[in-house]
Amino acid sequence: MTLPDPQTSRIDLKLVAEMVQPDTRVLDVGCGDGALLALLAETRGVDARGIELSREGVAGCVARGLSVIQGDADTDLVDYPDDSFDYVILSQTIQATRNPRLVLEQMLRIGRHAIVSFPNFGHWRMRSQVFFQGRMPVTDALPYTWWDTPNIHFCTIRDFVALCDLIGARMERAVALDAAGGKVRVNAPWWFWNLFGAQAVFLLKRG
Amino acid sequence: MSDLSPSLADPQKEANEPSSPVARFGPDTPLLMDCGLVLDRWQIAYQTYGALNADKSNAVLVCHALTGDQYVASRNPVTGKGGWWTAMIGPGKPIDTDRFFVICANVIGGCTGTTGPASTNPKTGTPWGLSFPVVTIRDMVRAQAALIDHLSIETLFCVAGGSMGGMQVLQWVASYPGRVFAALPLATGAKHSAQNIAFHEVGRQAVMADPDWRQGRYLEEGTRPSKGLSVARMGAHITYLSEQALHRKFGRKLQDREAPTFSFDADFQVESYLRHQGVSFVERFDANSYLYVTRAMDYFDLAADHDGVLARAFTGTKTRFCVASFTSDWLFPTADSRAIVHALNAAGASVSFVELESDKGHDAFLLEEPNLFATTRGFISAAARARGI
């Protein structure tokens, strides 16, 4: 099923929203300004909740009428009971968590499904900046310099898949997007995804 | 020392015959108190603003804090001052009286028209004084529910309040889970901390140490424990502010003088400010009521009523919550609000939470705080959309 374009330029939001079944309970971890929550509420009729670290983000979400809690993915997910959501979403946030493995495990405990989207550090642009310029990459998707970034745990698509194997998460769907926002060929091998996917979206389930 | 004895309004008149609507209840609708006693003749004084819609779905109950009253958005007849939450409530305000029917009642144990220790005990014809049963937050909410029944309203669109008012909001959802569509507990906690109980005890001891308190019988004996109550208020007032707010407002500035007097006069501005706060408080508040309502807050521990598990207070709740705390509030710090939010999450409730940046301390919820207004407006508007009003 395809959805109308969200008002944001973030194509991954649309992709994430398409993975969510209608009329379900969704927790968006690191929901920012609530763009995904609003999209889900409008187009999927879901009972959408959010967690956001920044006070400005939460205040903005609440003022938009969204149910959002100020909190930290690294510490606050433990407070949620098992199976309290159908989907727990971590959209472009895993690289900013202190303990990605723990966060992912908590997501799969709280939700029946987890959806994770992240920038792929194995993308050829990243590799080439490190390889040819010898500098930490700065791209449109990751516009921060190394000394001024909220991101502390980068991974590649292959790294993420390895983590999923380690914690016994089952992959239900995986999509990689190239730099232009187009889908990388579905039947391509992992190395191809890892090289040409600028970002990736995974739908996971407890193993 | 400056004079702490102000001119007093007649507290008993306002306690028995307030200048606001009153719902009176008789033996057929007694108030069953948590302490085991029963009030078989009692009354609750309230104010309303705006209009109730045809299907009675737009009622907002506002719960007042410790020394508040029912005059939330209108002039208080004793002090002559405007309502205590006019920033929040009124036409076009975050709690919009053009859209909602706002109700605010004086709590049981209070002194502006709801039965309390300053009221006349119908059985004796004298003021209740300390023979009044000890009040709990749940008793306050039970009395409010009787008023809401009296107004023929089944479900409240929203119950809102800060501090002790926030405790009532939480108790409302716990006591009457199906009757609250949205809840807005601000700068509050699900229990009163040991530190807060300690502060209250200092205040009560100040009142009871005043020789004019007369073991609580001052109304009959024609005295007032003004000095004790004033000191109690001065102490409490400090806890409502923050170090930054006091520093910004007063620093170490002297009051009407160039140099210290080497005496115990109010040399510092902060001293005269506190004395003024104390004196103006005793003009409008009954000392025994102060004992009762502080005690009610002390006893509040919502988790204790549910086997120590706060989440059980909210099991299966359909109410939408918005919880907010303030960064400089040391009476109800953010951790208290987080404990509420964790319990609501565990209960699967719909909850928003934000810690608002303010250097104004606990009292920030009563003051001009644009972030608080934006949060409240957003939450109330979204809830109203969901409710179809």
Side-chain angles (χ1 to χ4, degrees), chain A residues 2 5 8 15 24 36 42 60-61 83 106 115 127 155 160-161 167 169 173 175 185 192 198 207:
Chain A
T2 51
D5 270 326
T8 159
L15 208 57
T24 51
L36 178 60
E42 282 160 27
C61 288
D83 293 310
Q106 291 291 338
I115 301 175
R127 298 189 197 198
C155 66
F160 186 78
V161 170
I167 65 170
R173 259 184 91 185
V175 180
R185 262 192 313 124
F192 189 86

Side-chain angles (χ1 to χ4, degrees), chain B residues 100-373:
Chain B
F100 306 113
F101 178 61
V102 174
I103 308 157
C104 184
N106 183 218
V107 295
I108 198 87
C111 55
T112 48
T114 301
T115 303
S119 311
T120 302
N121 179 348
K123 291 200 178 89
T124 62
T126 56
W128 277 97
L130 292 195
S131 66
F132 194 72
V134 166
V135 170
T136 65
I137 298 291
R138 191 155 56 179
D139 293 331
M140 294 175 179
V141 165
R142 215 175 269 134
Q144 288 163 358
L147 170 66
I148 299 306
D149 289 340
H150 170 83
L151 297 172
S152 307
I153 295 167
E154 176 53 38
T155 307
L156 292 163
F157 163 62
C158 182
V159 182
S163 196
M164 186 180 87
M167 291 177 166
Q168 294 162 53
V169 173
L170 298 175
Q171 186 67 61
W172 253 100
V173 180
S175 292
Y176 306 99
R179 298 188 72 177
V180 183
F181 186 78
L184 188 63
L186 306 172
T188 192
K191 63 173 184 292
H192 214 219
S193 70
Q195 177 175 277
N196 292 352
I197 295 170
F199 278 123
H200 275 176
E201 176 60 3
V202 172
R204 284 189 295 264
Q205 289 299 328
V207 169
M208 294 190 278
D210 188 325
D212 287 336
W213 181 61
R214 307 285 169 96
Q215 305 304 311
R217 295 169 53 84
Y218 52 87
L219 290 174
E220 288 151 274
E221 302 196 5
T223 59
R224 297 287 184 279
S226 304
K227 291 189 170 67
L229 184 60
S230 176
V231 170
R233 181 61 169 184
M234 289 166 71
H237 199 78
I238 300 168
T239 70
Y240 305 149
L241 306 175
S242 68
E243 202 276 332
Q244 305 102 293
L246 278 176
H247 177 75
R248 189 186 60 235
K249 214 165 175 178
F250 307 109
R252 291 182 51 85
K253 288 193 287 264
L254 300 178
Q255 177 77 42
D256 305 327
R257 65 203 68 187
E258 297 296 318
T261 59
F262 296 100
S263 73
F264 296 103
D265 279 354
D267 279 3
F268 294 101
Q269 283 186 6
V270 66
E271 293 174 312
S272 349
Y273 169 75
L274 283 180
R275 288 183 189 189
H276 168 76
Q277 289 295 332
V279 169
S280 51
F281 180 60
V282 302
E283 287 173 12
R284 69 174 178 90
F285 213 81
D286 174 65
N288 284 337
S289 260
Y290 193 77
L291 305 182
Y292 277 84
V293 286
T294 56
R295 206 68 186 135
M297 285 183 83
D298 293 351
Y299 280 140
F300 187 63
D301 183 354
L302 195 50
D305 300 341
H306 295 84
D307 306 321
V309 183
L310 185 57
R312 287 193 195 153
F314 308 115
T315 304
T317 184
K318 296 274 187 285
T319 304
R320 310 161 146 246
F321 289 81
C322 180
V323 179
S325 66
F326 294 93
T327 48
S328 56
D329 183 349
W330 57 289
L331 202 58
F332 289 97
T334 293
D336 289 8
S337 285
R338 283 200 185 278
I340 298 168
V341 171
H342 291 163
L344 288 167
N345 275 336
S350 169
V351 52
S352 290
F353 164 66
V354 61
E355 182 188 39
L356 300 164
E357 182 89 45
S358 168
D359 72 350
K360 293 177 186 144
H362 180 61
D363 265 355
F365 81 91
L366 294 168
L367 304 173
E368 285 285 344
E369 287 288 349
N371 288 333
L372 173 65
F373 299 155

Side-chain angles (χ1 to χ4, degrees), chain A residues 29-44:
Chain A
V29 181
C31 63
D33 63 1
L36 178 60
L37 287 176
L39 179 70
L40 285 168
E42 282 160 27
T43 62
R44 295 306 228 199

